[in-house]
Structure formats: structure tokens, C-alpha cells
Amino acid sequence: MKKQKTFWKIAAYTSMIIGAGIVLTPVAWLISTSLKDASQVFDPAVWIPKPPRFDNYTKALSVMPFAKYLINTCVITFSCMALTIISSSLAAFGFARMRFPGRNILFVILLSTLMLPAQVTMIPIFKIWSGLGLYDTFVPLIAPSAFGSAFYIFLLRQYFLTIPKEMDEAARIDGAGTFTIWRRIVMPQAKPALATIAVLSFMSHWNDFLSPLIYLSDPGKRTLALALWAFQGQYSTDWNLLMAASTVVMLPLLLLFFFAQRYFVQGVALSGLKS
């Protein structure tokens, strides 16, 4: 039995190492290409450039107003993240902690919206925003987050159900209202789930390319995703500069996940109260 456990442990670690290597290979190629000269970009034998061209990063960030695009992206991303957390948690709290007629039916209808492809509603939503005169503004990119997300509401509802309802009853005896229970009882205990929503929302809006492409026409309002697209010319592409800029854009995502991974894993597992 001991030998069998050792064998399966070695097999598991080996498979994880191989899987990690497969996943990290494109990232390694990205970083390698960002340090190459233009003549070495498509040479598969060169993984460690000699000499490494660190000035590619300087060139990549100087050919565009990187600071302006970074500010635009941060405004959209953090606004959407805050609105998503607030709106989704309020809706999830209603489904998880409140009793009202038709609650389960409404929740099923909410989940059914996940089966509707975004391409189906893309044109009608665009017509609505353009009809309101909000085309080429950040409003169509930020405002939808104020109405929550079906997937995030589902995750938060499942987590809220693991929090004992006796806490709500005790708070009501002390005179707390529904909003106070949401703010001071449920939300502080849902940090893992909220961290999960924050990370997923940040990744979604930070990397969003299609929505800014549809709603923004002013070059000064571009996000970083659109800025990366601008590196691709009609006849040629500076791949080494594009990879350098992509590496810089990817760093905030890596840092966020690195610092939030403990809460992220707990939130995905929906394991209930923290011991």
C-alpha cells in the first residue's frame, strides 16, 4: 500500500509538472519574443536572446500614450469591479436570505440568461446606447455592471447560503435592518467569494477588447487591449514590441492573482465559513 501511494503521488506530481509546462510554454515564448531583435522573432531555436533587448519595452511604451490608455483601462476596470460586487452581492443576498413569492422561479430565469449568447443581444444593446447619445463614452462599458452578473450572483448566492441564518436573527433582535445585515453580517464573512468575483471581474474588464472596439471611436479613449491591437499594421507587425507591451499589460493580472489566490481558491471551492 505504501509503494502504491508513492507511485500515485509521483504520477500526480509528474502530470501536474507536465501540465504546468504546457500551460507556461506560450508565456515563456511571449517573454522570450519580447526580448528578441526583429530578425530573431520567428527563429524557433532562439529561446534566450543574445543579447536580450530590454529596450523593446521602452520602445513599445513610447510609441503610444501608454499612461493615458492605462488610466482609461483602470477607470473602466475598477468602476465595473466595484459596481459588479455591490449589485451582484445585493441580488445574491435577496435570493439567499430573503423569502418572497416566486423567488425560485426568478432565480431560474436569472440562470437561464447564462445560456443566451452575448452576440444575440449585442446589436440591440448597441442601438439602445447609441440612441441615448452615449456612443464613444465610457458609460456603455461601465453602466451594465450596475445591474449585476448572473454568474456572479449565482456564486455569491451559493456562498451566502453557507452562512448560518441564526446570525441574521440575532442581528434583527438587536435592531439591525436588512441592509445592515447585508453590510455588517454577510459581506464580512464572504471575503473569499468577493475576492473571487473581484479577480474574475478584473480579468474580464482588463482584457476586454470587443466592447471598447464597438463603443469607442476616439483614439484618446482607447483601452490597453485596443492599444495592443494598434501594433498590428496593415502589412506588417512589430511582434517583439507587441509582445513587450503584452507582457507589461499582463503583469497586473499576475500580481492580482498572486496576492488574492488564497481567497480566490476558497471562493471557488465555496467551502463555507472560514475556520
Side-chain angles (χ1 to χ4, degrees), residues 166-204:
E166 289 78 5
M167 294 184 175
D168 298 11
E169 298 170 0
R172 289 191 187 279
I173 292 174
D174 291 336
T178 301
F179 182 77
T180 303
I181 293 174
W182 167 79
R183 182 172 60 91
R184 303 188 64 176
I185 303 297
V186 176
M187 293 293 279
Q189 297 187 71
K191 288 180 181 178
L194 295 175
T196 302
I197 303 303
V199 171
L200 294 176
S201 177
F202 184 92
M203 292 174 60
S204 173

PDB file of all heavy atoms in Angstrom, residues 166-204:
ATOM      1  N   GLU A 166     -28.918  32.017  11.707  1.00  0.00           N
ATOM      2  CA  GLU A 166     -29.091  32.433  13.096  1.00  0.00           C
ATOM      3  C   GLU A 166     -28.432  33.777  13.356  1.00  0.00           C
ATOM      4  O   GLU A 166     -28.862  34.541  14.232  1.00  0.00           O
ATOM      5  CB  GLU A 166     -28.501  31.385  14.047  1.00  0.00           C
ATOM      6  CG  GLU A 166     -29.289  30.098  14.128  1.00  0.00           C
ATOM      7  CD  GLU A 166     -29.056  29.170  12.942  1.00  0.00           C
ATOM      8  OE1 GLU A 166     -28.193  29.502  12.101  1.00  0.00           O
ATOM      9  OE2 GLU A 166     -29.731  28.128  12.858  1.00  0.00           O
ATOM     10  N   MET A 167     -27.379  34.084  12.575  1.00  0.00           N
ATOM     11  CA  MET A 167     -26.719  35.389  12.722  1.00  0.00           C
ATOM     12  C   MET A 167     -27.660  36.510  12.311  1.00  0.00           C
ATOM     13  O   MET A 167     -27.670  37.583  12.934  1.00  0.00           O
ATOM     14  CB  MET A 167     -25.443  35.414  11.882  1.00  0.00           C
ATOM     15  CG  MET A 167     -24.366  34.466  12.355  1.00  0.00           C
ATOM     16  SD  MET A 167     -22.852  34.641  11.391  1.00  0.00           S
ATOM     17  CE  MET A 167     -21.771  33.522  12.272  1.00  0.00           C
ATOM     18  N   ASP A 168     -28.424  36.286  11.254  1.00  0.00           N
ATOM     19  CA  ASP A 168     -29.396  37.288  10.827  1.00  0.00           C
ATOM     20  C   ASP A 168     -30.439  37.524  11.917  1.00  0.00           C
ATOM     21  O   ASP A 168     -30.799  38.665  12.228  1.00  0.00           O
ATOM     22  CB  ASP A 168     -30.100  36.828   9.544  1.00  0.00           C
ATOM     23  CG  ASP A 168     -29.140  36.647   8.383  1.00  0.00           C
ATOM     24  OD1 ASP A 168     -27.924  36.664   8.618  1.00  0.00           O
ATOM     25  OD2 ASP A 168     -29.607  36.487   7.250  1.00  0.00           O
ATOM     26  N   GLU A 169     -30.932  36.431  12.493  1.00  0.00           N
ATOM     27  CA  GLU A 169     -31.962  36.535  13.523  1.00  0.00           C
ATOM     28  C   GLU A 169     -31.437  37.257  14.758  1.00  0.00           C
ATOM     29  O   GLU A 169     -32.132  38.092  15.358  1.00  0.00           O
ATOM     30  CB  GLU A 169     -32.466  35.151  13.885  1.00  0.00           C
ATOM     31  CG  GLU A 169     -33.131  34.414  12.716  1.00  0.00           C
ATOM     32  CD  GLU A 169     -33.400  32.958  13.016  1.00  0.00           C
ATOM     33  OE1 GLU A 169     -33.069  32.523  14.141  1.00  0.00           O
ATOM     34  OE2 GLU A 169     -33.929  32.252  12.134  1.00  0.00           O
ATOM     35  N   ALA A 170     -30.191  36.953  15.134  1.00  0.00           N
ATOM     36  CA  ALA A 170     -29.597  37.633  16.285  1.00  0.00           C
ATOM     37  C   ALA A 170     -29.423  39.122  16.014  1.00  0.00           C
ATOM     38  O   ALA A 170     -29.651  39.963  16.900  1.00  0.00           O
ATOM     39  CB  ALA A 170     -28.250  36.994  16.623  1.00  0.00           C
ATOM     40  N   ALA A 171     -29.037  39.455  14.773  1.00  0.00           N
ATOM     41  CA  ALA A 171     -28.867  40.861  14.415  1.00  0.00           C
ATOM     42  C   ALA A 171     -30.205  41.596  14.413  1.00  0.00           C
ATOM     43  O   ALA A 171     -30.292  42.753  14.845  1.00  0.00           O
ATOM     44  CB  ALA A 171     -28.202  40.970  13.044  1.00  0.00           C
ATOM     45  N   ARG A 172     -31.249  40.935  13.956  1.00  0.00           N
ATOM     46  CA  ARG A 172     -32.580  41.571  13.943  1.00  0.00           C
ATOM     47  C   ARG A 172     -33.083  41.806  15.371  1.00  0.00           C
ATOM     48  O   ARG A 172     -33.753  42.805  15.649  1.00  0.00           O
ATOM     49  CB  ARG A 172     -33.568  40.703  13.171  1.00  0.00           C
ATOM     50  CG  ARG A 172     -33.311  40.679  11.673  1.00  0.00           C
ATOM     51  CD  ARG A 172     -34.457  40.040  10.912  1.00  0.00           C
ATOM     52  NE  ARG A 172     -34.119  39.884   9.504  1.00  0.00           N
ATOM     53  CZ  ARG A 172     -34.213  40.870   8.605  1.00  0.00           C
ATOM     54  NH1 ARG A 172     -34.618  42.080   8.989  1.00  0.00           N
ATOM     55  NH2 ARG A 172     -33.893  40.646   7.344  1.00  0.00           N
ATOM     56  N   ILE A 173     -32.770  40.888  16.289  1.00  0.00           N
ATOM     57  CA  ILE A 173     -33.152  41.074  17.692  1.00  0.00           C
ATOM     58  C   ILE A 173     -32.477  42.319  18.253  1.00  0.00           C
ATOM     59  O   ILE A 173     -33.062  43.062  19.057  1.00  0.00           O
ATOM     60  CB  ILE A 173     -32.787  39.828  18.517  1.00  0.00           C
ATOM     61  CG1 ILE A 173     -33.664  38.645  18.089  1.00  0.00           C
ATOM     62  CG2 ILE A 173     -32.936  40.095  20.013  1.00  0.00           C
ATOM     63  CD1 ILE A 173     -33.288  37.333  18.731  1.00  0.00           C
ATOM     64  N   ASP A 174     -31.241  42.576  17.793  1.00  0.00           N
ATOM     65  CA  ASP A 174     -30.514  43.760  18.253  1.00  0.00           C
ATOM     66  C   ASP A 174     -30.933  45.024  17.522  1.00  0.00           C
ATOM     67  O   ASP A 174     -30.341  46.091  17.744  1.00  0.00           O
ATOM     68  CB  ASP A 174     -28.999  43.548  18.074  1.00  0.00           C
ATOM     69  CG  ASP A 174     -28.460  42.500  19.037  1.00  0.00           C
ATOM     70  OD1 ASP A 174     -29.100  42.300  20.091  1.00  0.00           O
ATOM     71  OD2 ASP A 174     -27.410  41.899  18.744  1.00  0.00           O
ATOM     72  N   GLY A 175     -31.890  44.905  16.597  1.00  0.00           N
ATOM     73  CA  GLY A 175     -32.412  46.088  15.927  1.00  0.00           C
ATOM     74  C   GLY A 175     -31.823  46.359  14.558  1.00  0.00           C
ATOM     75  O   GLY A 175     -32.074  47.427  13.982  1.00  0.00           O
ATOM     76  N   ALA A 176     -31.075  45.420  14.004  1.00  0.00           N
ATOM     77  CA  ALA A 176     -30.466  45.625  12.690  1.00  0.00           C
ATOM     78  C   ALA A 176     -31.495  45.421  11.593  1.00  0.00           C
ATOM     79  O   ALA A 176     -32.349  44.528  11.672  1.00  0.00           O
ATOM     80  CB  ALA A 176     -29.288  44.679  12.494  1.00  0.00           C
ATOM     81  N   GLY A 177     -31.410  46.250  10.555  1.00  0.00           N
ATOM     82  CA  GLY A 177     -32.282  46.109   9.398  1.00  0.00           C
ATOM     83  C   GLY A 177     -31.658  45.208   8.350  1.00  0.00           C
ATOM     84  O   GLY A 177     -30.538  44.695   8.513  1.00  0.00           O
ATOM     85  N   THR A 178     -32.378  45.029   7.246  1.00  0.00           N
ATOM     86  CA  THR A 178     -31.899  44.134   6.182  1.00  0.00           C
ATOM     87  C   THR A 178     -30.593  44.626   5.588  1.00  0.00           C
ATOM     88  O   THR A 178     -29.650  43.844   5.378  1.00  0.00           O
ATOM     89  CB  THR A 178     -32.967  44.028   5.075  1.00  0.00           C
ATOM     90  OG1 THR A 178     -34.188  43.534   5.647  1.00  0.00           O
ATOM     91  CG2 THR A 178     -32.512  43.062   3.982  1.00  0.00           C
ATOM     92  N   PHE A 179     -30.498  45.920   5.303  1.00  0.00           N
ATOM     93  CA  PHE A 179     -29.274  46.457   4.708  1.00  0.00           C
ATOM     94  C   PHE A 179     -28.094  46.325   5.668  1.00  0.00           C
ATOM     95  O   PHE A 179     -26.974  46.041   5.253  1.00  0.00           O
ATOM     96  CB  PHE A 179     -29.490  47.924   4.323  1.00  0.00           C
ATOM     97  CG  PHE A 179     -28.305  48.549   3.653  1.00  0.00           C
ATOM     98  CD1 PHE A 179     -28.024  48.278   2.328  1.00  0.00           C
ATOM     99  CD2 PHE A 179     -27.456  49.392   4.359  1.00  0.00           C
ATOM    100  CE1 PHE A 179     -26.919  48.846   1.705  1.00  0.00           C
ATOM    101  CE2 PHE A 179     -26.360  49.959   3.750  1.00  0.00           C
ATOM    102  CZ  PHE A 179     -26.088  49.684   2.415  1.00  0.00           C
ATOM    103  N   THR A 180     -28.355  46.548   6.958  1.00  0.00           N
ATOM    104  CA  THR A 180     -27.275  46.408   7.949  1.00  0.00           C
ATOM    105  C   THR A 180     -26.785  44.975   8.024  1.00  0.00           C
ATOM    106  O   THR A 180     -25.579  44.709   8.160  1.00  0.00           O
ATOM    107  CB  THR A 180     -27.767  46.870   9.330  1.00  0.00           C
ATOM    108  OG1 THR A 180     -28.223  48.216   9.242  1.00  0.00           O
ATOM    109  CG2 THR A 180     -26.650  46.778  10.363  1.00  0.00           C
ATOM    110  N   ILE A 181     -27.701  44.009   7.945  1.00  0.00           N
ATOM    111  CA  ILE A 181     -27.302  42.587   7.958  1.00  0.00           C
ATOM    112  C   ILE A 181     -26.436  42.275   6.750  1.00  0.00           C
ATOM    113  O   ILE A 181     -25.430  41.568   6.860  1.00  0.00           O
ATOM    114  CB  ILE A 181     -28.558  41.696   7.992  1.00  0.00           C
ATOM    115  CG1 ILE A 181     -29.289  41.876   9.316  1.00  0.00           C
ATOM    116  CG2 ILE A 181     -28.191  40.230   7.774  1.00  0.00           C
ATOM    117  CD1 ILE A 181     -30.613  41.155   9.385  1.00  0.00           C
ATOM    118  N   TRP A 182     -26.835  42.798   5.573  1.00  0.00           N
ATOM    119  CA  TRP A 182     -26.024  42.574   4.364  1.00  0.00           C
ATOM    120  C   TRP A 182     -24.632  43.179   4.517  1.00  0.00           C
ATOM    121  O   TRP A 182     -23.639  42.546   4.181  1.00  0.00           O
ATOM    122  CB  TRP A 182     -26.738  43.203   3.161  1.00  0.00           C
ATOM    123  CG  TRP A 182     -25.881  43.306   1.942  1.00  0.00           C
ATOM    124  CD1 TRP A 182     -25.571  42.310   1.061  1.00  0.00           C
ATOM    125  CD2 TRP A 182     -25.209  44.477   1.453  1.00  0.00           C
ATOM    126  NE1 TRP A 182     -24.750  42.780   0.064  1.00  0.00           N
ATOM    127  CE2 TRP A 182     -24.512  44.119   0.275  1.00  0.00           C
ATOM    128  CE3 TRP A 182     -25.130  45.794   1.890  1.00  0.00           C
ATOM    129  CZ2 TRP A 182     -23.766  45.017  -0.454  1.00  0.00           C
ATOM    130  CZ3 TRP A 182     -24.379  46.708   1.171  1.00  0.00           C
ATOM    131  CH2 TRP A 182     -23.704  46.315   0.006  1.00  0.00           C
ATOM    132  N   ARG A 183     -24.588  44.391   5.066  1.00  0.00           N
ATOM    133  CA  ARG A 183     -23.316  45.113   5.117  1.00  0.00           C
ATOM    134  C   ARG A 183     -22.409  44.657   6.245  1.00  0.00           C
ATOM    135  O   ARG A 183     -21.188  44.564   6.064  1.00  0.00           O
ATOM    136  CB  ARG A 183     -23.599  46.620   5.249  1.00  0.00           C
ATOM    137  CG  ARG A 183     -22.353  47.507   5.253  1.00  0.00           C
ATOM    138  CD  ARG A 183     -22.738  48.977   5.180  1.00  0.00           C
ATOM    139  NE  ARG A 183     -23.558  49.377   6.303  1.00  0.00           N
ATOM    140  CZ  ARG A 183     -23.063  49.862   7.449  1.00  0.00           C
ATOM    141  NH1 ARG A 183     -21.758  49.979   7.614  1.00  0.00           N
ATOM    142  NH2 ARG A 183     -23.876  50.223   8.421  1.00  0.00           N
ATOM    143  N   ARG A 184     -22.959  44.327   7.396  1.00  0.00           N
ATOM    144  CA  ARG A 184     -22.138  44.084   8.581  1.00  0.00           C
ATOM    145  C   ARG A 184     -22.092  42.627   9.020  1.00  0.00           C
ATOM    146  O   ARG A 184     -21.235  42.258   9.825  1.00  0.00           O
ATOM    147  CB  ARG A 184     -22.637  44.952   9.738  1.00  0.00           C
ATOM    148  CG  ARG A 184     -22.660  46.437   9.413  1.00  0.00           C
ATOM    149  CD  ARG A 184     -22.968  47.282  10.622  1.00  0.00           C
ATOM    150  NE  ARG A 184     -21.931  47.164  11.642  1.00  0.00           N
ATOM    151  CZ  ARG A 184     -21.925  47.871  12.778  1.00  0.00           C
ATOM    152  NH1 ARG A 184     -22.903  48.714  13.029  1.00  0.00           N
ATOM    153  NH2 ARG A 184     -20.961  47.712  13.658  1.00  0.00           N
ATOM    154  N   ILE A 185     -23.002  41.792   8.506  1.00  0.00           N
ATOM    155  CA  ILE A 185     -23.013  40.389   8.900  1.00  0.00           C
ATOM    156  C   ILE A 185     -22.553  39.485   7.755  1.00  0.00           C
ATOM    157  O   ILE A 185     -21.621  38.688   7.907  1.00  0.00           O
ATOM    158  CB  ILE A 185     -24.425  39.954   9.368  1.00  0.00           C
ATOM    159  CG1 ILE A 185     -24.908  40.842  10.516  1.00  0.00           C
ATOM    160  CG2 ILE A 185     -24.422  38.483   9.770  1.00  0.00           C
ATOM    161  CD1 ILE A 185     -24.074  40.758  11.762  1.00  0.00           C
ATOM    162  N   VAL A 186     -23.212  39.616   6.604  1.00  0.00           N
ATOM    163  CA  VAL A 186     -22.959  38.700   5.490  1.00  0.00           C
ATOM    164  C   VAL A 186     -21.690  39.064   4.728  1.00  0.00           C
ATOM    165  O   VAL A 186     -20.840  38.191   4.482  1.00  0.00           O
ATOM    166  CB  VAL A 186     -24.183  38.666   4.549  1.00  0.00           C
ATOM    167  CG1 VAL A 186     -23.889  37.802   3.329  1.00  0.00           C
ATOM    168  CG2 VAL A 186     -25.402  38.132   5.284  1.00  0.00           C
ATOM    169  N   MET A 187     -21.553  40.320   4.335  1.00  0.00           N
ATOM    170  CA  MET A 187     -20.411  40.707   3.492  1.00  0.00           C
ATOM    171  C   MET A 187     -19.047  40.448   4.145  1.00  0.00           C
ATOM    172  O   MET A 187     -18.140  39.944   3.485  1.00  0.00           O
ATOM    173  CB  MET A 187     -20.547  42.172   3.087  1.00  0.00           C
ATOM    174  CG  MET A 187     -21.719  42.448   2.157  1.00  0.00           C
ATOM    175  SD  MET A 187     -21.520  41.689   0.538  1.00  0.00           S
ATOM    176  CE  MET A 187     -20.437  42.887  -0.231  1.00  0.00           C
ATOM    177  N   PRO A 188     -18.851  40.775   5.429  1.00  0.00           N
ATOM    178  CA  PRO A 188     -17.532  40.494   6.024  1.00  0.00           C
ATOM    179  C   PRO A 188     -17.166  39.012   6.032  1.00  0.00           C
ATOM    180  O   PRO A 188     -15.990  38.665   6.019  1.00  0.00           O
ATOM    181  CB  PRO A 188     -17.680  41.037   7.458  1.00  0.00           C
ATOM    182  CG  PRO A 188     -18.754  42.063   7.367  1.00  0.00           C
ATOM    183  CD  PRO A 188     -19.720  41.534   6.354  1.00  0.00           C
ATOM    184  N   GLN A 189     -18.179  38.133   6.076  1.00  0.00           N
ATOM    185  CA  GLN A 189     -17.893  36.701   6.103  1.00  0.00           C
ATOM    186  C   GLN A 189     -17.759  36.104   4.704  1.00  0.00           C
ATOM    187  O   GLN A 189     -17.432  34.927   4.573  1.00  0.00           O
ATOM    188  CB  GLN A 189     -19.006  35.969   6.860  1.00  0.00           C
ATOM    189  CG  GLN A 189     -19.108  36.376   8.320  1.00  0.00           C
ATOM    190  CD  GLN A 189     -20.086  35.516   9.075  1.00  0.00           C
ATOM    191  OE1 GLN A 189     -19.826  34.335   9.334  1.00  0.00           O
ATOM    192  NE2 GLN A 189     -21.217  36.086   9.434  1.00  0.00           N
ATOM    193  N   ALA A 190     -18.033  36.895   3.694  1.00  0.00           N
ATOM    194  CA  ALA A 190     -17.988  36.389   2.321  1.00  0.00           C
ATOM    195  C   ALA A 190     -16.745  36.873   1.583  1.00  0.00           C
ATOM    196  O   ALA A 190     -16.757  36.952   0.354  1.00  0.00           O
ATOM    197  CB  ALA A 190     -19.256  36.817   1.579  1.00  0.00           C
ATOM    198  N   LYS A 191     -15.682  37.194   2.299  1.00  0.00           N
ATOM    199  CA  LYS A 191     -14.480  37.717   1.656  1.00  0.00           C
ATOM    200  C   LYS A 191     -13.906  36.785   0.588  1.00  0.00           C
ATOM    201  O   LYS A 191     -13.486  37.254  -0.478  1.00  0.00           O
ATOM    202  CB  LYS A 191     -13.417  38.035   2.705  1.00  0.00           C
ATOM    203  CG  LYS A 191     -13.744  39.261   3.555  1.00  0.00           C
ATOM    204  CD  LYS A 191     -12.662  39.523   4.579  1.00  0.00           C
ATOM    205  CE  LYS A 191     -13.005  40.734   5.439  1.00  0.00           C
ATOM    206  NZ  LYS A 191     -11.967  40.986   6.481  1.00  0.00           N
ATOM    207  N   PRO A 192     -13.851  35.459   0.820  1.00  0.00           N
ATOM    208  CA  PRO A 192     -13.333  34.582  -0.249  1.00  0.00           C
ATOM    209  C   PRO A 192     -14.149  34.666  -1.532  1.00  0.00           C
ATOM    210  O   PRO A 192     -13.596  34.751  -2.627  1.00  0.00           O
ATOM    211  CB  PRO A 192     -13.391  33.189   0.372  1.00  0.00           C
ATOM    212  CG  PRO A 192     -13.344  33.428   1.838  1.00  0.00           C
ATOM    213  CD  PRO A 192     -14.073  34.707   2.063  1.00  0.00           C
ATOM    214  N   ALA A 193     -15.474  34.647  -1.400  1.00  0.00           N
ATOM    215  CA  ALA A 193     -16.330  34.736  -2.583  1.00  0.00           C
ATOM    216  C   ALA A 193     -16.208  36.106  -3.245  1.00  0.00           C
ATOM    217  O   ALA A 193     -16.171  36.210  -4.478  1.00  0.00           O
ATOM    218  CB  ALA A 193     -17.784  34.458  -2.206  1.00  0.00           C
ATOM    219  N   LEU A 194     -16.136  37.157  -2.449  1.00  0.00           N
ATOM    220  CA  LEU A 194     -15.997  38.505  -3.007  1.00  0.00           C
ATOM    221  C   LEU A 194     -14.653  38.668  -3.709  1.00  0.00           C
ATOM    222  O   LEU A 194     -14.563  39.335  -4.748  1.00  0.00           O
ATOM    223  CB  LEU A 194     -16.144  39.546  -1.891  1.00  0.00           C
ATOM    224  CG  LEU A 194     -17.511  39.614  -1.210  1.00  0.00           C
ATOM    225  CD1 LEU A 194     -17.485  40.599  -0.054  1.00  0.00           C
ATOM    226  CD2 LEU A 194     -18.582  40.006  -2.215  1.00  0.00           C
ATOM    227  N   ALA A 195     -13.601  38.054  -3.146  1.00  0.00           N
ATOM    228  CA  ALA A 195     -12.290  38.107  -3.797  1.00  0.00           C
ATOM    229  C   ALA A 195     -12.326  37.381  -5.136  1.00  0.00           C
ATOM    230  O   ALA A 195     -11.717  37.826  -6.114  1.00  0.00           O
ATOM    231  CB  ALA A 195     -11.224  37.489  -2.892  1.00  0.00           C
ATOM    232  N   THR A 196     -13.048  36.269  -5.180  1.00  0.00           N
ATOM    233  CA  THR A 196     -13.202  35.537  -6.442  1.00  0.00           C
ATOM    234  C   THR A 196     -13.892  36.397  -7.487  1.00  0.00           C
ATOM    235  O   THR A 196     -13.445  36.493  -8.636  1.00  0.00           O
ATOM    236  CB  THR A 196     -14.024  34.252  -6.216  1.00  0.00           C
ATOM    237  OG1 THR A 196     -13.366  33.452  -5.238  1.00  0.00           O
ATOM    238  CG2 THR A 196     -14.154  33.466  -7.505  1.00  0.00           C
ATOM    239  N   ILE A 197     -14.987  37.047  -7.089  1.00  0.00           N
ATOM    240  CA  ILE A 197     -15.714  37.922  -8.011  1.00  0.00           C
ATOM    241  C   ILE A 197     -14.830  39.077  -8.455  1.00  0.00           C
ATOM    242  O   ILE A 197     -14.822  39.462  -9.635  1.00  0.00           O
ATOM    243  CB  ILE A 197     -16.991  38.463  -7.339  1.00  0.00           C
ATOM    244  CG1 ILE A 197     -17.880  37.315  -6.873  1.00  0.00           C
ATOM    245  CG2 ILE A 197     -17.745  39.386  -8.280  1.00  0.00           C
ATOM    246  CD1 ILE A 197     -18.279  36.359  -7.953  1.00  0.00           C
ATOM    247  N   ALA A 198     -14.066  39.644  -7.529  1.00  0.00           N
ATOM    248  CA  ALA A 198     -13.201  40.775  -7.866  1.00  0.00           C
ATOM    249  C   ALA A 198     -12.145  40.373  -8.889  1.00  0.00           C
ATOM    250  O   ALA A 198     -11.900  41.099  -9.869  1.00  0.00           O
ATOM    251  CB  ALA A 198     -12.538  41.322  -6.601  1.00  0.00           C
ATOM    252  N   VAL A 199     -11.517  39.212  -8.676  1.00  0.00           N
ATOM    253  CA  VAL A 199     -10.471  38.756  -9.601  1.00  0.00           C
ATOM    254  C   VAL A 199     -11.057  38.469 -10.979  1.00  0.00           C
ATOM    255  O   VAL A 199     -10.515  38.892 -12.005  1.00  0.00           O
ATOM    256  CB  VAL A 199      -9.763  37.505  -9.036  1.00  0.00           C
ATOM    257  CG1 VAL A 199      -8.838  36.904 -10.078  1.00  0.00           C
ATOM    258  CG2 VAL A 199      -8.974  37.858  -7.785  1.00  0.00           C
ATOM    259  N   LEU A 200     -12.181  37.742 -11.019  1.00  0.00           N
ATOM    260  CA  LEU A 200     -12.794  37.406 -12.304  1.00  0.00           C
ATOM    261  C   LEU A 200     -13.276  38.652 -13.035  1.00  0.00           C
ATOM    262  O   LEU A 200     -13.120  38.769 -14.256  1.00  0.00           O
ATOM    263  CB  LEU A 200     -13.966  36.440 -12.083  1.00  0.00           C
ATOM    264  CG  LEU A 200     -13.609  35.044 -11.564  1.00  0.00           C
ATOM    265  CD1 LEU A 200     -14.870  34.229 -11.308  1.00  0.00           C
ATOM    266  CD2 LEU A 200     -12.701  34.316 -12.545  1.00  0.00           C
ATOM    267  N   SER A 201     -13.868  39.591 -12.295  1.00  0.00           N
ATOM    268  CA  SER A 201     -14.336  40.834 -12.914  1.00  0.00           C
ATOM    269  C   SER A 201     -13.170  41.660 -13.423  1.00  0.00           C
ATOM    270  O   SER A 201     -13.228  42.225 -14.528  1.00  0.00           O
ATOM    271  CB  SER A 201     -15.154  41.636 -11.899  1.00  0.00           C
ATOM    272  OG  SER A 201     -15.564  42.874 -12.447  1.00  0.00           O
ATOM    273  N   PHE A 202     -12.102  41.740 -12.634  1.00  0.00           N
ATOM    274  CA  PHE A 202     -10.918  42.495 -13.050  1.00  0.00           C
ATOM    275  C   PHE A 202     -10.337  41.914 -14.333  1.00  0.00           C
ATOM    276  O   PHE A 202     -10.033  42.650 -15.283  1.00  0.00           O
ATOM    277  CB  PHE A 202      -9.872  42.469 -11.941  1.00  0.00           C
ATOM    278  CG  PHE A 202      -8.661  43.306 -12.230  1.00  0.00           C
ATOM    279  CD1 PHE A 202      -8.600  44.623 -11.814  1.00  0.00           C
ATOM    280  CD2 PHE A 202      -7.578  42.774 -12.919  1.00  0.00           C
ATOM    281  CE1 PHE A 202      -7.481  45.401 -12.083  1.00  0.00           C
ATOM    282  CE2 PHE A 202      -6.458  43.543 -13.187  1.00  0.00           C
ATOM    283  CZ  PHE A 202      -6.404  44.862 -12.772  1.00  0.00           C
ATOM    284  N   MET A 203     -10.197  40.600 -14.372  1.00  0.00           N
ATOM    285  CA  MET A 203      -9.644  39.950 -15.564  1.00  0.00           C
ATOM    286  C   MET A 203     -10.528  40.187 -16.784  1.00  0.00           C
ATOM    287  O   MET A 203     -10.039  40.459 -17.884  1.00  0.00           O
ATOM    288  CB  MET A 203      -9.486  38.451 -15.308  1.00  0.00           C
ATOM    289  CG  MET A 203      -8.429  38.097 -14.295  1.00  0.00           C
ATOM    290  SD  MET A 203      -8.398  36.336 -13.895  1.00  0.00           S
ATOM    291  CE  MET A 203      -8.061  35.626 -15.499  1.00  0.00           C
ATOM    292  N   SER A 204     -11.834  40.079 -16.585  1.00  0.00           N
ATOM    293  CA  SER A 204     -12.768  40.235 -17.695  1.00  0.00           C
ATOM    294  C   SER A 204     -12.702  41.627 -18.308  1.00  0.00           C
ATOM    295  O   SER A 204     -12.636  41.769 -19.535  1.00  0.00           O
ATOM    296  CB  SER A 204     -14.186  39.930 -17.208  1.00  0.00           C
ATOM    297  OG  SER A 204     -15.137  40.215 -18.208  1.00  0.00           O
TER     298      SER A 204
END
